[in-house]
Amino acid sequence: AMSLGFIGIFTALTLNSWIAGILILLYIITSLYYRIQTELHTIDQVAVGIVVGTTNGYLWRRYLVDGVTDFVGKYILNDDG
């Protein structure tokens, strides 16, 4: 559940497409439903995993990827040569 939350939010934010976001959400819901039905996880485990994974994916995308991109653009690939 945690990895689905991470991959889902990270990919949706990267692609920046509402269609992709809906498709990713449908995949995540289907996968989590399967995991609960086959008793691989409890509902509580899925709930905690999706919250932790989504939060982690958002923070990773927002602060690390954007921060690294800004840093590289400013200090490594600058126009000063």
Side-chain angles (χ1 to χ4, degrees):
M2 193 166 90
S3 62
L4 286 170
F6 180 91
I7 292 167
I9 193 71
F10 187 89
T11 305
L13 290 173
T14 301
L15 295 177
N16 199 20
S17 165
W18 67 272
I19 294 172
I22 290 172
L23 292 174
I24 291 167
L25 182 61
L26 290 173
Y27 173 74
I28 290 171
I29 290 169
T30 303
S31 297
L32 294 178
Y33 178 78
Y34 168 79
R35 296 186 80 70
I36 292 169
Q37 290 302 310
T38 57
E39 298 181 0
L40 295 172
H41 292 301
T42 65
I43 293 173
D44 290 342
Q45 289 172 325
V46 166
V48 170
I50 201 74
V51 168
V52 171
T54 301
T55 303
N56 190 15
Y58 172 78
L59 293 173
W60 185 272
R61 176 67 178 100
R62 173 68 178 98
Y63 294 107
L64 185 64
V65 172
D66 291 345
V68 169
T69 302
D70 291 344
F71 178 83
V72 169
K74 186 174 182 179
Y75 296 108
I76 297 175
L77 301 176
N78 61 19
D79 292 334
D80 295 340

